[in-house]
Amino acid sequence: MGLFNSALGRNITFVRPPYFILSGFSGIPHMNYYYVFLLVVYIVSVLGNTAVMAVILLDRNLRTPKYVAVFNLAWTDLLGSTVQVPKVLDIFLFNHHIISYNDCMTFLFFSYMCLSMQALNLVVLSYDRLIAITFPLHYHMKVTHRFIFSLIGFFWVLIITAVLIAVGLLTRLSFCNSLIIRSYFCDHGKIFWLACNDNTPNNVFGWILTVLILWVPLIFILLSYMYIGCTLTKMASVCERQKAFKTCSAHLSLVAIYFLPILITFSFNRYMPTNARIISLSMTSVIPPMLNPFIYVLQTKEINKSALTRTVPAEVFNI
């Protein structure tokens, strides 16, 4: 730190540190058990999402617009877990708390990119359910391969651009005080609050990202299901209502598991205790990707044992 102070003494106003220090949890005993838990969750997530992608790729019956979105969700979950968990285990299990400046920016970019894309992918799936239930006769005209590919592609471009802007704004900051990031990863908010020059653009853009990537998708999803609910009340058959509700319940569960903790975390970022924020973010990063293959994908009628038996040799099930 003396290096930075001496630099400022020579009227150098911009200081880019060679590294940051990730503090992680503080004052919580037996944290190694939590890291083992993260490892188990990561392994389950990798196996589950890889299986989902393999089934969709190998089974021609699943090459529909809906399962393009499901495949993208599984891929994003797999990528997000792989970005987060191995790096977290390396940092805290093996005490590699020091991370270089460039590695930290890269870690931040991929972490936020995957976390954001998970939210927007839920928008694609909610749109699919909205059209399927409220406009069933127009479903194949409105939900096409071209439309879903275009929508997902637009979301990827939007997210990559937004996160690149966030990273670019961080690179203009000067860090002449503490280099300790009080989080388990290179957290955007925790980094720009360390800066000793004006971080107002970072703060404003952080709120814009929170609204754009979290609140707007959540509002769209809630409005979609309000409309779906109104449609279901007009259905004459109880059986039809139950069938439609069953197709939505798994998706709603995933929405709740993803959005509730992360919205609380990002909306009350400055007021939450450090450990509570870290636990909330880490669980949000790894639990939805693990549960997705079970509560959303594997419970749908298209992906089940019959789908697996069409793509996996029968001898596997007879072992």
Side-chain angles (χ1 to χ4, degrees), residues 51-65:
V52 168
M53 291 190 294
V55 170
I56 293 174
L57 284 175
L58 296 174
D59 192 335
R60 294 181 179 275
N61 295 324
L62 298 177
R63 295 178 187 177
T64 62

Side-chain angles (χ1 to χ4, degrees), residues 19-26 34-35 38 79-92 96-116 118 163 166-167 170 179-194 209 214 258 261-262 265-266 269 274-286:
Y19 61 84
F20 288 106
I21 301 172
L22 293 169
S23 67
F25 297 93
S26 59
Y34 182 69
Y35 301 133
L38 289 183
L79 180 62
S81 297
T82 302
V83 166
Q84 287 273 340
V85 179
K87 188 64 176 177
V88 168
L89 295 178
D90 175 61
I91 291 170
F92 298 110
H96 297 157
H97 291 261
I98 296 177
I99 182 170
S100 71
Y101 181 90
N102 290 333
D103 286 349
C104 191
M105 294 298 106
T106 303
F107 192 15
L108 183 150
F109 172 79
F110 283 102
S111 295
Y112 275 89
M113 181 187 71
C114 295
L115 201 62
S116 303
Q118 288 167 356
V163 179
V167 173
L170 286 178
L179 299 180
I180 300 175
I181 302 173
R182 301 194 179 280
S183 184
Y184 74 102
F185 77 114
C186 291
D187 194 339
H188 178 256
K190 294 299 181 181
I191 292 177
F192 73 70
W193 285 114
L194 295 176
L209 281 181
L214 293 176
Y258 176 84
I262 202 169
T265 301
F266 279 92
N269 178 34
T274 300
N275 286 338
R277 187 179 190 280
I278 292 174
I279 291 174
S280 177
L281 270 180
S282 61
M283 296 293 281
T284 303
S285 300
V286 299

Side-chain angles (χ1 to χ4, degrees), residues 177-224:
N177 297 310
S178 174
L179 299 180
I180 300 175
I181 302 173
R182 301 194 179 280
S183 184
Y184 74 102
F185 77 114
C186 291
D187 194 339
H188 178 256
K190 294 299 181 181
I191 292 177
F192 73 70
W193 285 114
L194 295 176
C196 52
N197 58 337
D198 183 23
N199 61 18
T200 302
N202 305 81
N203 193 18
V204 171
F205 193 72
W207 279 105
I208 292 173
L209 281 181
T210 301
V211 172
L212 179 66
I213 295 170
L214 293 176
W215 284 108
V216 171
L218 181 60
I219 291 171
F220 175 83
I221 292 170
L222 292 178
L223 290 176
S224 298

Side-chain angles (χ1 to χ4, degrees), residues 125-135 220-235 241 244-245 247-248 251-252:
L125 293 170
S126 67
Y127 174 81
D128 174 84
R129 292 300 85 204
L130 175 67
I131 302 301
I133 295 173
T134 58
F135 304 102
F220 175 83
I221 292 170
L222 292 178
L223 290 176
S224 298
Y225 277 100
M226 288 175 62
Y227 194 80
I228 288 172
C230 293
T231 303
L232 292 180
T233 59
K234 299 175 184 178
M235 287 185 175
R241 294 180 190 175
F245 178 77
T247 64
C248 297
H251 180 242
L252 280 173

Side-chain angles (χ1 to χ4, degrees), residues 164-182:
L164 280 176
I165 292 173
V167 173
L169 289 174
L170 286 178
T171 61
R172 57 170 285 279
L173 296 178
S174 182
F175 299 90
C176 51
N177 297 310
S178 174
L179 299 180
I180 300 175
I181 302 173
R182 301 194 179 280

